[in-house]
Amino acid sequence: MILQKIRTENMYLYYGNKMALNNVSISIPEKQVTALIGPSGCGKSTFLRSLNRMNDLIDSVKIEGNIFVDDINIYDKNIDVVNLRKKVGMVFQKSNPFAKSIFDNVAYGPRINGNNNKSELKEIVEKSLRDAAIWDEVKDRLHDSAMGLSGGQQQRLCIARTLAVDPEIILMDEPASALDPISTSKIEELIFQLKENFTIVIVTHNMQQAARISDNTAFFYLGELIEYNKTKKIYTNPDKKQTEDYISGRFG
């Protein structure tokens, strides 16, 4: 039986008086890749950022409805947001390594969570870099600046940094959109491996990428969830004409 890891019910999100998400209800299964697609400004990234309360950082945001992770309402007033963001990690569109060594980038999260044990940190850093498929490329330069890595390597380093705090869910906001085709294919291979252990939700503008890497696809348009289903069904036999038009390139 596939467990549902994330669930939203009748979710609305407003920036001030402007509605950005309109009555979104969705169940996202555990240890699968769910892609969010749709034209720019349709609410994909806004929805993604609501899953670990990144939208809390924007003053004018107001959310109605419920968002559950493991059946716990993450907008409950008793929720520890720091712990939530450890459980629900995030990888951004533009790789954002810290101006520190490769080692210190990955060790950063465990350290701020109170782990200063040198041997444990070494193990965490190596495991995270291995899981992010970059260990062999950087193992001899762990104390060099992360800023010297290529764009694709920096993005995999940021994924390693996310993995180092042992999340259960990884949110990815167009993680390959700034990368060349070879780096993109490495990120896609990595996502495929990571879903064995993590629930992944990815925003992508790349229709082919969504088709290649995701198990489920959600199509958003003008703040509404138009259609959500298995990726194969969405791409070969969607229920809604809007979905078919978007996937076939007739609009958006």
Side-chain angles (χ1 to χ4, degrees), residues 206-251:
N206 184 324
M207 295 290 97
Q208 291 74 29
Q209 182 175 76
R212 282 193 299 266
I213 65 170
S214 70
D215 302 284
N216 317 289
T217 296
F219 170 52
F220 283 81
Y221 184 60
L222 297 179
E224 293 191 23
L225 176 62
I226 303 297
E227 187 166 352
Y228 174 57
N229 215 317
K230 289 287 178 194
T231 296
K232 188 173 181 187
K233 168 97 167 70
I234 291 278
Y235 275 76
T236 59
N237 186 25
D239 292 330
K240 303 280 176 70
K241 185 172 188 310
Q242 275 176 299
T243 312
E244 185 179 350
D245 287 350
Y246 182 71
I247 285 184
S248 62
R250 285 199 283 273
F251 89 100

Side-chain angles (χ1 to χ4, degrees), residues 40-105:
S40 294
C42 69
K44 307 182 298 292
S45 293
T46 295
F47 177 76
L48 189 78
R49 288 196 300 267
S50 66
L51 301 179
N52 69 346
R53 293 187 50 172
M54 287 292 283
N55 287 323
D56 288 15
L57 305 173
I58 303 167
D59 286 341
S60 63
V61 164
K62 186 177 81 177
I63 290 182
E64 297 172 357
N66 296 310
I67 303 178
F68 298 94
V69 172
D70 290 332
D71 289 328
I72 293 167
N73 188 343
I74 65 169
Y75 282 85
D76 187 285
K77 62 180 188 299
N78 298 319
I79 288 292
D80 181 327
V81 177
V82 173
N83 281 339
L84 173 69
R85 291 186 189 140
K86 271 168 58 182
K87 183 173 182 168
V88 187
M90 185 135 193
V91 177
F92 295 92
Q93 179 174 359
K94 188 174 184 316
S95 57
N96 56 344
F98 305 136
K100 300 172 178 281
S101 71
I102 292 166
F103 185 96
D104 287 342
N105 263 270

Side-chain angles (χ1 to χ4, degrees), residues 188-207:
E188 289 183 7
E189 282 170 33
L190 174 56
I191 290 168
F192 211 73
Q193 291 161 16
L194 290 173
K195 78 171 180 180
E196 288 184 18
N197 298 306
F198 304 95
T199 301
I200 297 172
V201 187
I202 179 169
V203 167
T204 178
H205 272 114
N206 184 324
M207 295 290 97

Side-chain angles (χ1 to χ4, degrees), residues 91-146:
V91 177
F92 295 92
Q93 179 174 359
K94 188 174 184 316
S95 57
N96 56 344
F98 305 136
K100 300 172 178 281
S101 71
I102 292 166
F103 185 96
D104 287 342
N105 263 270
V106 183
Y108 179 82
R111 279 179 177 144
I112 61 168
N113 289 318
N115 188 344
N116 289 301
N117 182 304
K118 281 188 178 170
S119 62
E120 283 183 22
L121 286 174
K122 277 178 75 171
E123 281 179 28
I124 290 168
V125 168
E126 178 173 342
K127 182 179 188 310
S128 302
L129 290 167
R130 282 188 186 281
D131 287 349
I134 191 175
W135 170 253
D136 290 339
E137 294 165 53
V138 301
K139 63 185 179 188
D140 299 322
R141 48 196 284 213
L142 293 178
H143 299 291
D144 294 356
S145 170

Side-chain angles (χ1 to χ4, degrees), residues 95 97 134 146-159:
S95 57
I134 191 175
M147 311 314 277
L149 297 173
S150 71
Q153 289 174 324
Q154 286 187 5
Q155 192 62 298
R156 279 180 286 144
L157 176 69
C158 291
I159 292 171

